[in-house]
Amino acid sequence: MDAMTTLAPPVSTPALMEAVAAVSAAYFLDFAAAAGRHGLSSSQAKALGVVLEPVPMRALAGRLGCDASNVTGIVDRLEGLGLARREAAASDRRVKIVTITDQGHEVLLKIRADMTRAHRALDSLSEEQRAGLLTMCRQLLPLLGN
Amino acid sequence: MDAMTTLAPPVSTPALMEAVAAVSAAYFLDFAAAAGRHGLSSSQAKALGVVLEPVPMRALAGRLGCDASNVTGIVDRLEGLGLARREAAASDRRVKIVTITDQGHEVLLKIRADMTRAHRALDSLSEEQRAGLLTMCRQLLPLLGN
DNA sequence: TATTGTTATACTCTATAACTATA
DNA sequence: TATAGTTATAGAGTATAACAATA
C-alpha cells in the first residue's frame, strides 16, 4: 500500500467529471487550433488521423461519430486538398476505401507536433482533478476485465 | 509539500498525448450525445455550463473558443428555450451578462447525470470503445505517478 | 430485401467584416 | 479612438430522408 492510495479517497463523481472535462476541453481547443494553422477544420484533421489505416466510408463515419452522409463532404474536401483519396474495394463494389496520401501524412504529423498546450493543461490540473483521473483509471481497469 | 505532489510529477510524453486524445474523444462524443438527448447542441450545452456563473458575452466567446459574433446566435437559442437570459451590466452599458435560468440549471444537471450513467454503462460499450478505454487507463496510470 | 455511398434539404456552428451604441 | 454586442454573409458540419448501385 503506497501513499498515493491512501491519499486518493473516494473522489466525488463531479470532481472526476471536472477533471475529464478540463483535459478534454483543453485538448480539443488545442487540436482545433493546430489543425486550423495548417488549413484544416477539426473534423477534417480528425478524419485524416483515422485514415492512417485505409477505412471504408461507412466505418469512417462511425469513428467520427457522425452520420455517413457527412463523410462524403469531408472526404471530398480532403481529396480536393490532395490529403486523402478514395479507392474501390475489391471484395464489395459498393464500398469505397479512404486512404491518406503522402502529403496528408506530412500535414498530420505537423499538426500533431504543433500540439503542446494539452501537455501543459494536464500538468496544471489541480490535485483533486489529478486524483480524480487516477481514481477513474483504477476503477475502470477491473471493470474492463483487466 | 505533500505526498501527492512528489508522487505525481508533471509529465509530457507522446503516450500521454495518446491517452488524453482517447479520453477526450470519448468524453466529447458522450457529452454531445447526452446534450442531444435533451434537445441541445454540444455548443449550447457547453455554453450553459459556462454561464453557471454570470458571464459577459465577450468572455463567453473566450470560454467557448469561438468568435464573439457566434455567441449572439448561441445565446439567442438558449434564451428562446428559456434556459438562459441576458441582463444589462450596471457598470458598462455596452456589456450584457448571460445568466442561466432555473430551467437551464435543471437541464444541465440532467445532461451531466446522463453522462455519469453513460460512463458507468460499460457493458454497452463497443469492443472498439472498450479497447480505447483500456489503452487509455494503462497509459495514464503510470504517467500519473502510480 | 438489405447495405453502401451519394444527394437534397434544413439547421447549427464558424470566422470575417461592417454596423450601433456606448466608453 | 476603442470596445461590446449585433448583423450580414459565406463556408463547413450535422441529421433526416430519399435515391442508385450492389449485395
Side-chain angles (χ1 to χ4, degrees):
Chain A
M1 178 63 70
D2 63 341
M4 174 63 81
T5 307
T6 29
L7 277 173
V11 176
S12 65
T13 298
L16 190 160
M17 296 292 278
E18 276 178 39
V20 176
V23 173
S24 297
Y27 180 86
F28 181 76
L29 290 178
D30 194 18
F31 180 73
R37 271 177 244 126
H38 294 273
L40 296 186
S41 70
S42 54
S43 287
Q44 291 167 350
K46 188 177 177 186
L48 210 51
V50 172
V51 299
L52 274 173
E53 295 178 357
V55 169
M57 297 286 284
R58 206 91 193 173
L60 179 53
R63 294 284 296 275
L64 295 180
C66 70
D67 190 83
S69 61
N70 304 314
V71 181
T72 299
I74 295 173
V75 174
D76 278 351
R77 289 168 205 114
L78 286 178
E79 213 166 18
L81 293 169
L83 306 182
R85 62 170 177 276
R86 288 172 169 90
E87 294 176 353
S91 56
D92 187 333
R93 279 167 37 186
R94 294 174 302 180
V95 175
K96 295 181 184 175
I97 309 288
V98 188
T99 310
I100 197 171
T101 64
D102 289 343
Q103 189 184 346
H105 210 123
E106 287 177 16
V107 171
L108 183 60
L109 289 181
K110 286 180 185 173
I111 290 174
R112 290 184 170 174
D114 240 20
M115 298 186 59
T116 54
R117 214 189 58 172
H119 288 75
R120 294 199 295 273
L122 195 72
D123 291 347
S124 65
L125 283 180
S126 73
E127 291 180 6
E128 185 181 15
Q129 290 172 330
R130 192 177 277 268
L133 277 180
L134 190 57
T135 302
M136 178 187 71
C137 289
R138 284 180 169 151
Q139 292 176 344
L140 278 181
L141 275 179
L143 292 175
L144 287 168
N146 184 263
Chain B
M1 172 68 77
D2 61 43
M4 173 67 80
T5 306
T6 41
L7 278 172
V11 284
S12 295
T13 70
L16 180 60
M17 292 296 281
E18 279 181 35
V20 171
V23 75
S24 297
Y27 179 87
F28 181 76
L29 290 178
D30 195 15
F31 180 72
R37 271 177 243 126
H38 295 273
L40 297 186
S41 70
S42 54
S43 285
Q44 290 167 350
K46 187 178 178 186
L48 209 52
V50 171
V51 298
L52 274 173
E53 295 178 357
V55 169
M57 297 287 284
R58 207 91 192 170
L60 178 53
R63 293 284 295 275
L64 296 180
C66 69
D67 190 84
S69 62
N70 303 315
V71 180
T72 299
I74 294 173
V75 173
D76 278 351
R77 290 169 204 114
L78 286 178
E79 213 165 21
L81 293 169
L83 307 182
R85 62 170 177 275
R86 291 171 168 88
E87 293 176 354
S91 57
D92 187 334
R93 279 167 38 187
R94 293 173 302 178
V95 175
K96 296 180 184 176
I97 309 287
V98 188
T99 310
I100 196 169
T101 64
D102 289 344
Q103 190 183 346
H105 210 122
E106 288 177 15
V107 171
L108 183 60
L109 289 180
K110 286 179 185 173
I111 290 174
R112 289 183 171 176
D114 229 22
M115 293 187 63
T116 308
R117 243 178 286 125
H119 277 171
R120 285 177 178 168
L122 295 176
D123 293 342
S124 63
L125 287 181
S126 69
E127 282 304 315
E128 189 176 16
Q129 290 172 325
R130 186 179 284 267
L133 273 181
L134 191 56
T135 301
M136 176 196 74
C137 289
R138 284 177 172 157
Q139 292 176 342
L140 204 48
L141 211 45
L143 293 174
L144 281 169
N146 181 267

